[in-house]
Amino acid sequence: MLKVCHLYPDLLNLYGDRGNVLAFTRRCSWRHIPVQVYQANLGDKIDFENFDFLFIGGGSDREQTLLAADLSRQVDSLKRAIEDGLVVLAICGGYQLLGQYYQMPDGRKIPGLGILDLHTHSGSKRLIGNVAVEIELAGKKIKVTGFENHGGKTFLNGVAPLGQVLSGNGNNGTDHQEGARYKNAFCSYLHGPLLPKNPALTDHMISLALERKGMDSTIVPLDDSFEEEANGKMLERLGVRR
Amino acid sequence: MRWIMVLLALWTARAAQRLSLTLGKGKGSSLPGMVALKIYPGILRWFAGQSRLGTVMVTGTNGKTTTNNMLAQIINSSGYKVLVNSEGANLITGVTTAFIRSANLWGKLDCDYAVLEVDEAAFPTVAARVHPDTVVVTNFFRDQLDRYGELDTTVGMVAQALNNLNGTKLVLNADDPLVAQLEQKSGLKAQYYGLDPGSETTHVGAETREAKFCPLCGALLNYKAYNYSQLGDFKCHGCGFERPQPHFRAHSMRQTGDLFQGEIDWQTRNFGLKIPARGVYNFYNALAAVSTAITFNVDPDTAAHALVSYAPAVGRMDRFDYQGKPVLLNLVKNPTGFNQALAALLNQDTLQDVLVAINDNAADGRDISWLWDVDFEVLEENQPRFNNFICTGKRAAEMAVRLKYAGVPAEKISIHNNTERAIDAAVSGGGKMTFLLATYTALWPVEAILAKKAKRVEGDAESMPSVS
Ligand SMILES: [Zn+2]
């Protein structure tokens, strides 16, 4: 049984992010891998090490602040779990939160959870639009697509990017990097939502979760023709070769 | 001098309109206004000042067209002369065009009330020029996020614009915390309308709920009950902000066939309100319209009676006949509106073919991730009612992915990139009925093709909720 933790679905439900949880669980069910979703809410005590997949979405500033305060109470458990190889997907605000700090226009620094070595500066204009990114999963290069909409610009210090920007802005619009990857934690600015449209990434995360649990991590292929068409159409529009 | 400018602007605008009609370009609902405003920006103020009894502006995310038309119908049937902007022409150019069309050659209007539907984003500029006597606000939902920025920005702009007005009366939805806060934020006096949550109205909408936080202090809001989305009986334990006691309180709602009815308490009176439409969404619009009319001293029974025969605006929900098969066309533009359209699908007991046309042009919203906030999951357990889902538009494949992850069997989903072929597949499918759902820029091409293949059925479009 894979246990999925959807962090604060009531708070962080901007831009269809729940589609990521849906994709993860559906693709498990279609393969008859038992899966269960636990919706964590503000104030809940979460034992992160007990989960197999954690999803953190994005919210507006107000929601983000509440979330940060609540998560910082249990940051040790989360940190231990990530070090132990917990599979995590953090999108947009959730991504920024895992870093060291978020710097406001007036120079004030709002501390993040400090789990990943990266930081974010508030930018003067929002980075909005369709994005294509090339990422490498288990030695294989794939092209993922999504939609970014963020005011913050993120800079990586001691962590690797999730991938290289082929079209769009990515982390900050300057260094062509998108997202971050640390052990089994995947961070990205791509809404889209990311997982349904990029099944290879979803399956890779499912496989990692199975492996960490000591279960058979071979993944039965599924018919992904709709997903491939959606992805391919967007790559084509962005002028990126499939 | 001012009058000369008005006449110059008016006559040029009229000439431009005739020209555009001869050239067959567009519907001409914004061009005359655009031309007139270029020549004399003060023309809107000049016109608005002429309505004898008052100018009303209706704004909000969903329901503004319907509320506005219902209000116009009520006031009209009470014997007043009403000026109204045509459906959807709700930016400053469309509003100005409405006045230009009603004015005589000398720029004079003959109207008691001007009743204007205004887009939320255009609200500040229009309000500053029109100086409305009354403003009606229906609700605030996520809509085209990437164009307007986050919802807070839109609501903040409307609040600021109201704050700049003097003596304007507000008619507000008590059940929407984002709307109900406007009395405090603007310093204007408000009359509230609201629906008591009951079993008939309560709707599962937790997935796309908007205001989970108090708009005044930021604490989490507590709800005793929801009507739908974030509309319900709310209270903030942080600052005490709560659903205001509605002056117009609707209760005992029920659906009987194609009629939706309820009771309304106002002061010491009680009267019934009955509308030929399904669902609580339209009832909200009717309640807003009736409440506003009563603040103009229209008799409650007269107001309610005027809506018994209300025919919804065309274009939002069109009914066609394809070789004896009913075909319904509806606009979908945000999660709440799409959920309402799905509710209408589930209301039908016959086998249906469904076409969904999704575009991502600027007017649709370039980010289509909102499709994941629509509760398509309700389709999974109702599969026997659906024959096929046909996806078309620029983001057809993405729509197919959404349906697949909602639990619709892949063999019932198909992608047709050619709109005409998609429509053919939908109307000639094995179902007894066809629904066509399209985003803003996909709606007109779909309608144009459909109109060539099927016969339009006039005046019988009320069985689907009109959601805009
Ligand atoms: Zn409060």
Side-chain angles (χ1 to χ4, degrees):
Chain A
M1 165 80 70
L2 289 183
K3 292 206 298 194
V4 173
C5 179
H6 186 177
L7 208 53
Y8 313 142
D10 259 6
L11 297 188
L12 309 175
N13 59 1
L14 274 185
Y15 313 113
D17 280 341
R18 75 191 178 102
N20 291 312
V21 175
L22 210 54
F24 189 95
T25 53
R26 288 280 188 194
R27 295 184 75 82
C28 287
S29 315
W30 289 334
R31 296 180 169 108
H32 310 289
I33 302 166
V35 60
Q36 193 181 38
V37 181
Y38 172 75
Q39 306 204 326
N41 289 305
L42 275 184
D44 289 358
K45 188 176 171 335
I46 310 161
D47 189 358
F48 289 101
E49 285 162 292
N50 254 328
F51 285 101
D52 305 300
F53 175 61
L54 169 69
F55 177 73
I56 318 174
S60 68
D61 295 348
R62 196 170 43 202
E63 289 149 2
Q64 211 69 45
T65 317
L66 273 166
L67 161 73
D70 198 56
L71 263 189
S72 57
R73 289 187 303 121
Q74 24 203 356
V75 66
D76 292 341
S77 160
L78 178 57
K79 197 176 167 121
R80 269 199 311 274
I82 290 177
E83 292 295 338
D84 177 52
L86 170 67
V87 181
V88 180
L89 178 65
I91 300 290
C92 204
Y95 167 23
Q96 297 169 350
L97 188 66
L98 291 177
Q100 305 293 346
Y101 61 86
Y102 187 103
Q103 186 170 325
M104 303 295 282
D106 58 13
R108 213 155 36 94
K109 287 179 182 171
I110 300 173
L113 295 173
I115 298 175
L116 300 187
D117 196 6
L118 53 91
H119 64 272
T120 305
H121 285 208
S122 93
S124 48
K125 85 180 224 298
R126 289 187 83 80
L127 304 176
I128 304 175
N130 290 300
V131 194
V133 181
E134 182 167 74
I135 66 179
E136 199 179 304
L137 299 174
K140 210 176 142 220
K141 284 188 173 167
I142 61 160
K143 285 168 183 157
V144 306
T145 57
F147 193 93
E148 65 182 339
N149 183 348
H150 51 111
K153 294 182 171 181
T154 296
F155 299 89
L156 307 180
N157 309 324
V159 282
L162 177 63
Q164 298 297 318
V165 175
L166 300 171
S167 174
N169 293 294
N171 283 344
N172 47 50
T174 47
D175 63 15
H176 304 289
Q177 296 186 335
E178 207 297 309
R181 165 113 194 234
Y182 177 71
K183 300 205 167 175
N184 290 340
F186 297 76
C187 302
S188 177
Y189 272 120
L190 271 59
H191 301 281
L194 182 63
L195 295 192
K197 223 169 36 181
N198 300 289
L201 177 60
T202 318
D203 287 354
H204 184 69
M205 296 175 87
I206 293 173
S207 165
L208 289 172
L210 291 168
E211 200 180 296
R212 171 169 174 261
K213 196 141 206 181
M215 292 165 72
D216 178 7
S217 64
T218 42
I219 289 282
V220 189
L222 299 171
D223 177 357
D224 293 330
S225 42
F226 292 151
E227 290 88 335
E228 279 158 19
E229 185 166 344
N231 200 293
K233 263 260 153 65
M234 184 46 71
L235 289 174
E236 210 171 282
R237 260 173 67 171
L238 295 174
V240 174
R241 267 197 316 141
R242 283 198 197 194
Chain B
M1 185 58 201
R2 188 179 176 211
W3 194 50
I4 307 249
M5 289 308 288
V6 168
L7 292 188
L8 185 63
L10 177 68
W11 293 347
T12 318
R14 289 251 172 97
Q17 183 178 20
R18 268 196 304 278
L19 195 65
S20 85
L21 286 178
T22 348
L23 296 174
K25 279 195 185 145
K27 293 175 149 189
S29 61
S30 64
L31 179 74
M34 196 188 302
V35 169
L37 287 165
K38 276 244 165 67
I39 295 172
Y40 181 50
I43 192 163
L44 185 52
R45 175 84 205 111
W46 156 275
F47 280 135
Q50 290 187 48
S51 62
R52 286 184 287 268
L53 297 173
T55 302
V56 191
M57 284 170 64
V58 180
T59 195
T61 310
N62 285 345
K64 54 183 174 286
T65 304
T66 308
T67 302
N68 201 61
N69 292 346
M70 285 177 161
L71 178 59
Q73 179 158 327
I74 295 170
I75 302 178
N76 196 37
S77 68
S78 309
Y80 296 108
K81 288 204 164 163
V82 184
L83 178 151
V84 59
N85 54 334
S86 61
E87 188 226 338
N90 57 17
L91 305 178
I92 188 166
T93 49
V95 171
T96 308
T97 302
F99 282 110
I100 288 171
R101 285 190 180 152
S102 303
N104 72 10
L105 204 53
W106 309 109
K108 295 288 180 203
L109 293 177
D110 172 23
C111 94
D112 296 309
Y113 286 98
V115 180
L116 308 169
E117 168 206 345
V118 181
D119 180 85
E120 313 89 273
F123 185 87
T125 36
V126 178
R129 302 200 194 187
V130 161
H131 302 185
D133 301 284
T134 301
V135 170
V136 185
V137 187
T138 57
N139 50 53
F140 288 116
F141 296 117
R142 274 181 72 185
D143 196 4
Q144 303 173 8
L145 269 169
D146 61 318
R147 200 175 64 168
Y148 296 150
E150 286 177 20
L151 187 69
D152 289 354
T153 318
T154 310
V155 179
M157 275 166 28
V158 172
Q160 186 53 50
L162 290 174
N163 194 259
N164 294 340
L165 297 171
N166 268 324
T168 301
K169 286 186 284 187
L170 303 180
V171 179
L172 302 179
N173 187 338
D175 302 341
D176 184 345
L178 293 173
V179 173
Q181 64 161 332
L182 291 174
E183 181 171 26
Q184 272 198 51
K185 285 264 168 83
S186 67
L188 300 171
K189 286 298 287 175
Q191 295 270 308
Y192 290 97
Y193 62 91
L195 247 88
D196 281 0
S199 59
E200 269 298 305
T201 60
T202 306
H203 179 92
V204 185
E207 301 286 7
T208 56
R209 225 154 59 217
E210 214 53 71
K212 292 134 308 202
F213 300 99
C214 174
L216 299 176
C217 77
L220 260 171
L221 282 177
N222 283 58
Y223 278 81
K224 255 191 237 152
Y226 295 102
N227 281 325
Y228 70 99
S229 208
Q230 85 272 17
L231 274 54
D233 191 354
F234 61 88
K235 184 178 171 91
C236 169
H237 290 308
C239 68
F241 174 54
E242 61 185 328
R243 176 198 190 220
Q245 221 25 268
H247 301 85
F248 302 90
R249 187 176 75 92
H251 57 93
S252 316
M253 271 78 63
R254 62 203 174 275
Q255 179 90 51
T256 324
D258 278 345
L259 286 177
F260 195 94
Q261 52 190 321
E263 308 267 312
I264 294 166
D265 293 341
W266 171 64
Q267 297 181 350
T268 55
R269 309 238 338 227
N270 166 279
F271 58 97
L273 178 59
K274 198 190 287 184
I275 51 163
R278 281 183 186 272
V280 68
Y281 323 107
N282 276 314
F283 198 79
Y284 258 113
N285 300 332
L287 179 62
V290 166
S291 305
T292 309
I294 293 173
T295 68
F296 302 158
N297 298 320
V298 171
D299 175 72
D301 293 319
T302 313
H305 186 75
L307 293 186
V308 174
S309 61
Y310 178 77
V314 208
R316 300 291 158 160
M317 182 53 227
D318 285 357
R319 185 179 275 262
F320 291 81
D321 176 295
Y322 176 80
Q323 302 177 0
K325 184 201 279 192
V327 179
L328 292 128
L329 173 65
N330 200 36
L331 170 72
V332 285
K333 58 174 188 174
N334 55 27
T336 305
F338 213 137
N339 283 338
Q340 292 166 18
L342 291 181
L345 260 60
L346 297 176
N347 249 329
Q348 307 293 335
D349 273 331
T350 65
L351 188 68
Q352 303 155 50
D353 287 286
V354 181
L355 174 142
V356 190
I358 304 292
N359 276 353
D360 65 352
N361 297 314
D364 304 294
R366 291 192 299 132
D367 180 9
I368 59 152
S369 63
W370 63 272
L371 288 175
W372 293 84
D373 291 327
V374 178
D375 291 330
F376 287 107
E377 282 66 30
V378 297
L379 298 173
E380 186 177 18
E381 61 223 50
N382 288 287
Q383 274 315 300
R385 292 167 204 238
F386 298 103
N387 183 46
N388 273 312
F389 291 88
I390 294 130
C391 305
T392 188
K394 287 171 75 183
R395 301 303 282 266
E398 218 125 339
M399 187 62 224
V401 171
R402 177 66 189 101
L403 289 171
K404 178 180 160 184
Y405 283 90
V408 174
E411 58 274 16
K412 287 196 179 187
I413 307 169
S414 57
I415 299 170
H416 287 266
N417 291 315
N418 178 300
T419 315
E420 176 142 22
R421 252 174 263 151
I423 293 171
D424 281 337
V427 295
S428 62
K432 295 234 181 312
M433 225 181 154
T434 302
F435 279 94
L436 311 174
L437 310 173
T439 59
Y440 193 74
T441 68
L443 186 71
W444 303 114
V446 168
E447 191 192 24
I449 295 169
L450 183 64
K452 279 187 254 161
K453 299 177 186 291
K455 210 166 76 228
R456 189 187 288 275
V457 183
E458 302 290 349
D460 185 26
E462 63 273 6
S463 60
M464 279 266 291
S466 171
V467 292
S468 189

